[in-house]
Each structure stands twice: as structure tokens, then as C-alpha cells.
Amino acid sequence: MKKTKQAIEKPVKRMTQRELSRHQREQRQQRILLVVGAVVLVSVLGILLFGYWREAIHKGSEPIVKVNGQPVSVTTYAKVLGFQQYMLDQQIEYFQRIAGRAQSTSSAGKEDPNEKLLAQYAQQQVQFLGQQRARLEGDTVEQLIDDELSRQEATKRGLTVTAEEVDAEIAREYASSQAEQGTPITNTTQATPTPTATPSASMANEQLRKSLSSIGILSEQEFRRWIIEPKLWREKLEKVMEEEVPRSGEQVRASEIVTETEEQAKQALERALRGEDFATLATELSKDATTKAKGGDLGWLPRGVEAKEIDEALFSLKPGEIYPKVVSSYGQFYVLKVEERAENREISAEHLSQLKSTALSRWLQSQKPPEGKSIEYFLSWEKTKWARDYIAKHLKAR
């Protein structure tokens, strides 16, 4: 047995100094390679994680706009935009079904004049809503700005929006959707009939949660914060601003000649400046049926009832003066004259109503560039793409 063990065991050969040195060098090289590999791996992972953080998290937290220093994040923009897209798509699909049903009835030889009119109306709505859909990315930015401006101004004036008021608004939306036979509660953009009874807040909130869950882009809290609350802020602020509209103010009695082309307007202006009677020219040349018969007379006008371009031109003139340039507004061309001017005249009921209904929109416009300095835009192609990708990933219903 001893012999066998000796036969099996082999003496360990000792390394020479040269071999030991080479072995130690190889081990050091292996350790260096492992360290370098680990550093490279950590660096790559760091780059990937940073890229993910920047694109998936940080990009979403960046502002798309600031309103008086208050940022509106790209994520907020993406969520509201996705929701608005969904709502418009639902309406477009609804009117497409109506148009298709009417066309099917006509094709089956059962043509009904009422169905034909309904189909035409539905097709017009599809076209109109499609145009809205195409502008929605830019319009949503402006909507978020208006919402934040309204919230800030309403808060400054001591106005509040309570959770109970939000619940009541949601309940009204739910009642309206029931009256419209199944239209989702989240369809806040459609005109709604007055409900006969308001459901309980719990019932409305449950329906809201189901609807939002099926859509997938907004949580209940976000829906309340970004859809319902802004609506209530604006309604309250609008009422306050309506009461602040003055009952009298500076006015001009003006006349106009309206043409379809700039060349026609230039020719009319030249004739008026040469001394031809303005009223006669308006009767002969104006395309506005309402004022044409009155020699172009617009009556007394306070600031704010006409388009901005027309307003600025008229209130720069003295009595008897004709504005020396053609004014373009809403696709038409104007030659303008001021007949009289009053520094403080009572505003007519018609114009007062118009000024009240546009008080909030005019104030909002005054807060935006170039007049206002409270808005900072941070729009970019990268942020728009991020928002589109976010919507594609999170919007469940299509």
C-alpha cells in the first residue's frame, strides 16, 4: 500500500524565479483586464441609464412653457394633449358613423331629405373636427397657458375652486353624458343639455374612474387638476371680469369699405383720398351687405368690439380722417374712416354684451407676447416627439 501511494503521488515541481515572475505578471495583467472591463461595463451602463433618465424621466419634467415663472412640464402637455386627441377622435368617429348611416340609407333607395341634410351636417363636422385635430398640438400649449393664467389671476383675486365644486361639475358631466345616451363623461368639449336630475357624486366618480381607466392617459387626480379645475377657474374669473367692463368709454363713429382683394381696397382708398364721397364709394364698392346700404356706416364703436387691426387703425384717427393704408383682417380688406369721436360715451347694450362675453379672452391675449411678458416658450422638436411617443405608449383607447 505504501508503495502504491508513493507511486500515485508525484512530487510538486518548484517554479524557477523566471517562471514565477512571468506567472505573477500574467496574474497582474488578468486583474488589470478585469478592472478595465468592470469600468467599461459600469460606464456603458451609466451612459444607458443616463440616456434613459434623460429621455424617459428628465425630458418629461422639463418645461414646455413657463407662465409667470410657473413651469408646465412636457409630461403635463403630453397627458392633456393625449386626452384631447382621444376626445376629438371620439367625436370624429361619431359623426363619421352618422354620415355613413345616412349614405347607406340613400344607397338602399330609401333617400330621405332629412337624412341627406344630416349626412351633410355630419360630414361638415368631420371636416371641422379634423382641422381642429391637425392644430391640436399647438392649441394645447395655448390652452395650458390660458388655464394657468386664469388660475393665477383667479387666485390673486381671492377666488377658490373646492373639491365639492369639482365633484358637482363631474356629476353634471355624468348627467349630461347619460342624457346623450352613452357619450363618455370625459366628453367635456361638447355642448350638453340640461339634465333633469343630478346623480350622486359617488356614482359620477365611479363612472369617471371607469372611463379614465379605459382611456389610460390621465389619472382621476390629473383629470380633476388639468381638465375640470381649469374650466371652473375660467368660469369664475369670467364672471368677475364681465362685471368689470365699463358702461361707458372712448368711442368713434366710423365707416368702412370692405373688399375681397387688396387691389380692390387700394383702388377704393385712392379714390377716397382724392376726395370722392366715402359713403358713395361704400355703396358702390363695399362687399359688406350690412353696412353697404348705409354708406358704410358702422355706428359708434368702443374699443374691443372690432378686430385688433381695425381697432388700432380707427382709434389712431381724428374726426374726418381716412386711414392711409389698407387694413387686412380675417381674409378681407378694409378702407376705414372716422366720422366723429367721443372721449366718454355710453356703450350700447349690444356692444356691452359683446365686450362682456370677450372680456376674459381679451385679457388672456393681453398677457401673451408681444404685449405681455409673462410667457416663456420652451418648445422644441425633441419635446414634441417625446410627447407623441408618450401618448403612443400610454393611451389605451384608440
Side-chain angles (χ1 to χ4, degrees):
M1 180 67 68
K2 190 174 181 181
K3 260 181 143 179
T4 306
K5 185 176 180 182
Q6 288 176 348
I8 292 173
E9 291 180 351
K10 293 183 179 179
V12 178
K13 182 182 177 182
R14 295 176 63 85
M15 288 185 181
T16 65
Q17 186 64 35
R18 184 175 181 181
E19 289 173 333
L20 180 60
S21 177
R22 184 175 61 189
H23 177 69
Q24 290 173 340
R25 187 167 62 252
E26 290 174 349
Q27 285 186 322
R28 284 197 303 271
Q29 289 174 343
Q30 287 177 350
R31 285 196 296 270
I32 291 171
L33 288 173
L34 287 172
V35 171
V36 171
V39 171
V40 171
L41 180 60
V42 169
S43 299
V44 170
L45 288 174
I47 291 171
L48 292 174
L49 288 173
F50 175 77
Y52 172 78
W53 171 80
R54 177 173 173 76
E55 291 303 315
I57 300 174
H58 178 65
K59 181 71 74 177
S61 66
E62 290 180 354
I64 199 160
V65 70
K66 284 185 179 180
V67 182
N68 289 314
Q70 179 64 37
V72 178
S73 72
V74 180
T75 299
T76 299
Y77 169 69
K79 286 175 175 285
V80 174
L81 174 61
F83 178 79
Q84 300 288 11
Q85 286 178 345
Y86 170 79
M87 296 311 308
L88 275 177
D89 289 343
Q90 290 291 101
Q91 293 180 68
I92 290 170
E93 183 180 343
Y94 170 75
F95 284 111
Q96 284 174 334
R97 287 200 304 269
I98 291 178
R101 184 181 64 197
Q103 289 172 350
S104 297
T105 303
S106 177
S107 299
K110 301 177 181 179
E111 186 166 347
D112 183 336
N114 292 329
E115 285 287 334
K116 187 175 181 180
L117 288 174
L118 182 61
Q120 291 174 348
Y121 170 74
Q123 289 166 352
Q124 290 172 353
Q125 289 300 305
V126 169
Q127 184 179 7
F128 172 72
L129 293 170
Q131 292 170 348
Q132 279 190 302
R133 183 67 161 79
R135 301 192 306 267
L136 198 56
E137 288 183 350
D139 287 351
T140 300
V141 175
E142 296 305 312
Q143 175 193 322
L144 288 168
I145 292 172
D146 289 350
D147 290 346
E148 184 58 27
L149 282 169
S150 299
R151 184 192 66 79
Q152 291 179 10
E153 184 65 18
T155 302
K156 189 187 302 181
R157 291 167 178 256
L159 303 175
T160 60
V161 169
T162 66
E164 291 75 19
E165 288 173 324
V166 173
D167 284 337
E169 182 62 28
I170 290 172
R172 281 193 292 271
E173 292 288 346
Y174 174 72
S176 299
S177 69
Q178 291 296 97
E180 291 180 348
Q181 299 181 347
T183 303
I185 185 174
T186 48
N187 194 351
T188 60
T189 58
Q190 287 186 339
T192 54
T194 303
T196 56
T198 301
S200 68
S202 60
M203 183 186 300
N205 285 329
E206 179 60 28
Q207 176 61 28
L208 171 64
R209 282 188 285 272
K210 289 180 180 178
S211 296
L212 292 175
S213 177
S214 67
I215 297 171
I217 197 74
L218 286 178
S219 68
E220 181 182 355
Q221 182 181 2
E222 291 165 342
F223 176 78
R224 289 168 173 269
R225 171 67 180 84
W226 296 330
I227 305 300
I228 297 298
E229 284 186 17
K231 180 180 179 183
L232 297 177
W233 284 121
R234 291 177 72 162
E235 286 177 356
K236 291 192 173 191
L237 186 59
E238 188 171 32
K239 288 180 181 178
V240 172
M241 288 189 168
E242 282 180 1
E243 295 305 313
E244 294 175 346
V245 173
R247 271 51 179 175
S248 64
E250 183 184 15
Q251 296 187 57
V252 293
R253 187 170 73 82
S255 298
E256 66 175 5
I257 300 171
V258 185
T259 65
E260 295 174 346
T261 69
E262 186 175 12
E263 184 59 34
Q264 291 171 341
K266 285 181 177 179
Q267 292 173 3
L269 177 60
E270 288 175 4
R271 291 174 64 180
L273 292 174
R274 284 200 302 265
E276 291 191 45
D277 183 65
F278 197 94
T280 302
L281 287 173
T283 304
E284 176 189 343
L285 303 173
S286 185
K287 303 299 181 183
D288 187 298
T290 304
T291 60
K292 180 185 179 76
K294 299 183 293 183
D297 185 22
L298 285 165
W300 285 96
L301 302 172
R303 290 182 184 271
V305 299
E306 292 291 337
K308 179 182 176 182
E309 302 85 359
I310 296 174
D311 239 21
E312 290 178 350
L314 288 175
F315 282 90
S316 69
L317 299 175
K318 296 177 181 178
E321 288 185 339
I322 297 171
Y323 194 67
K325 297 179 182 179
V326 170
V327 177
S328 174
S329 181
Y330 299 112
Q332 291 184 311
F333 301 90
Y334 297 81
V335 179
L336 301 169
K337 180 182 180 182
V338 164
E339 308 290 350
E340 296 182 74
R341 188 166 185 146
E343 294 304 314
N344 190 30
R345 179 185 174 89
E346 184 179 355
I347 298 172
S348 69
E350 178 187 355
H351 287 148
L352 185 61
S353 175
Q354 184 179 344
L355 289 171
K356 284 185 174 183
S357 66
T358 59
L360 177 58
S361 61
R362 286 184 287 112
W363 177 82
L364 288 170
Q365 191 58 43
S366 72
Q367 302 302 300
K368 298 177 182 180
E371 291 88 353
K373 307 297 181 184
S374 60
I375 312 300
E376 298 176 83
Y377 290 90
F378 299 91
L379 292 167
S380 68
W381 181 87
E382 291 83 0
K383 290 178 180 179
T384 302
K385 182 181 183 302
W386 190 95
R388 291 171 182 169
D389 292 342
Y390 184 95
I391 294 168
K393 182 178 179 180
H394 292 87
L395 187 62
K396 294 179 183 177
R398 291 289 179 182

